[in-house]
């Protein structure tokens, strides 16, 4: 017959083994739950920039020539930065470039901003293209109606950081390309 001490030691060992197994199972479950939360909620996606409209002011077609001698062209763009992440998107500023034939003819910088989580922020940007940078286009005298004669490319970029719960932080860049027919 076994003594009470031996039975007590065996019961204690069984309880310890049971507690260790339960601890391992809980640790595995918590790890799986944490991985699911990280995959579902803490992934950082790229913010997007959409153009709401561009208004151009400047020279017009006069005497079948695109007159560029005395008047600069102004592009006034209204755009929206949309942040789909759970954390705010803080960017150091926007950079807007106007190109013609893959040559930069105008550039403008915007102020630093922040877009809250899962929100959109509307902004305006103005780019002034100097008169000497504008292309010169000649049309034959019998041309009556012209459309899509000159195509400008507008490139906009906002580089910043998305931080979620001060745990996950990543640098992201939101970009947008747009073509303006003149």
């Amino acid at each position: 017959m076994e003594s009470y001490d031996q039975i007590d030691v065996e019961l204690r060992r069984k309880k310890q083994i049971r507690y260790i197994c339960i601890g391992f199972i809980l640790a595995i479950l918590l790890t799986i739950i944490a991985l699911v939360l990280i995959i579902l909620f803490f992934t950082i996606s790229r913010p997007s920039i959409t153009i709401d409209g561009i208004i151009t002011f400047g020279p017009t077609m006069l005497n079948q020539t695109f007159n560029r001698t005395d008047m600069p062209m102004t592009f006034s763009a209204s755009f929206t930065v949309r942040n789909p992440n759970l954390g705010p998107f803080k960017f150091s500023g926007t950079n807007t470039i106007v190109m013609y034939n893959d040559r930069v003819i105008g550039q403008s910088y915007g102020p630093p901003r922040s877009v809250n989580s899962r929100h959109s922020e509307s902004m305006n940007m103005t780019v002034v293209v100097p008169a000497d940078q504008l292309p010169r286009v000649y049309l034959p005298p019998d041309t009556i109606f012209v459309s899509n004669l000159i195509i400008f490319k507008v490139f906009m970029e906002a580089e910043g950081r998305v931080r979620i719960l001060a745990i996950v932080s990543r640098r992201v860049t939101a970009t947008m390309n747009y073509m303006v027919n003149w």
Side-chain angles (χ1 to χ4, degrees), residues 6-46:
Q6 286 179 340
I7 294 173
D8 193 32
V9 168
E10 282 184 31
L11 287 176
R12 237 186 275 143
R13 266 199 198 142
K14 285 183 182 180
K15 282 183 181 181
Q16 286 175 348
I17 292 173
R18 186 179 303 145
Y19 290 145
I20 290 173
C21 289
I22 289 173
F24 278 132
I25 290 172
L26 284 176
I28 290 172
L29 285 176
L30 287 175
T31 305
I32 290 172
I33 290 171
L35 287 175
V36 168
L37 285 176
I38 288 172
I39 290 171
L40 291 179
F41 297 112
F42 296 142
T43 55
I44 295 176
S45 59
R46 190 179 222 183

Side-chain angles (χ1 to χ4, degrees), residues 89-95 109-115 157-161 171-173:
F89 173 50
K90 295 180 182 177
F91 52 95
S92 58
T94 56
N95 181 15
Y109 298 100
R113 303 282 289 271
S114 177
V115 180
E157 170 181 73
E159 187 174 323
R161 182 175 295 278
R171 292 193 70 78
V172 291
T173 302

Side-chain angles (χ1 to χ4, degrees), residues 4-182:
Y4 290 111
D5 290 336
Q6 286 179 340
I7 294 173
D8 193 32
V9 168
E10 282 184 31
L11 287 176
R12 237 186 275 143
R13 266 199 198 142
K14 285 183 182 180
K15 282 183 181 181
Q16 286 175 348
I17 292 173
R18 186 179 303 145
Y19 290 145
I20 290 173
C21 289
I22 289 173
F24 278 132
I25 290 172
L26 284 176
I28 290 172
L29 285 176
L30 287 175
T31 305
I32 290 172
I33 290 171
L35 287 175
V36 168
L37 285 176
I38 288 172
I39 290 171
L40 291 179
F41 297 112
F42 296 142
T43 55
I44 295 176
S45 59
R46 190 179 222 183
S48 63
I49 299 177
T50 56
I51 195 84
D52 298 331
I54 289 184
I55 300 172
T56 56
F57 303 103
T60 58
M61 299 298 286
L62 297 172
N63 300 331
Q64 271 66 29
T65 304
F66 186 73
N67 188 0
R68 67 175 186 143
T69 57
D70 60 347
M71 189 174 186
M73 179 176 276
T74 304
F75 291 88
S76 181
S78 169
F79 62 95
T80 302
V81 178
R82 189 178 83 74
N83 181 17
N85 298 304
L86 284 175
F89 173 50
K90 295 180 182 177
F91 52 95
S92 58
T94 56
N95 181 15
T96 305
I97 298 172
V98 177
M99 296 190 306
Y100 176 72
N101 281 346
D102 295 329
R103 184 174 60 94
V104 176
I105 60 173
Q107 188 168 6
S108 178
Y109 298 100
R113 303 282 289 271
S114 177
V115 180
N116 290 333
S117 62
R118 299 194 184 240
H119 281 85
S120 298
E121 181 91 17
S122 295
M123 296 173 221
N124 292 321
M125 179 68 67
T126 301
V127 179
V128 177
V129 179
D132 62 337
Q133 294 290 323
L134 292 174
R136 181 173 281 286
V137 176
Y138 174 73
L139 296 174
D142 58 346
T143 305
I144 297 172
F145 180 72
V146 176
S147 69
N148 300 340
L149 179 67
I150 301 173
I151 299 173
F152 294 103
K153 293 179 187 174
V154 178
F155 175 75
M156 195 170 292
E157 170 181 73
E159 187 174 323
R161 182 175 295 278
V162 174
R163 180 171 285 169
I164 300 175
L165 297 177
I167 299 171
V168 180
S169 177
R170 196 172 97 192
R171 292 193 70 78
V172 291
T173 302
T175 58
M176 187 259 333
N177 285 317
Y178 191 74
M179 299 183 77
V180 179
N181 297 328
W182 182 259

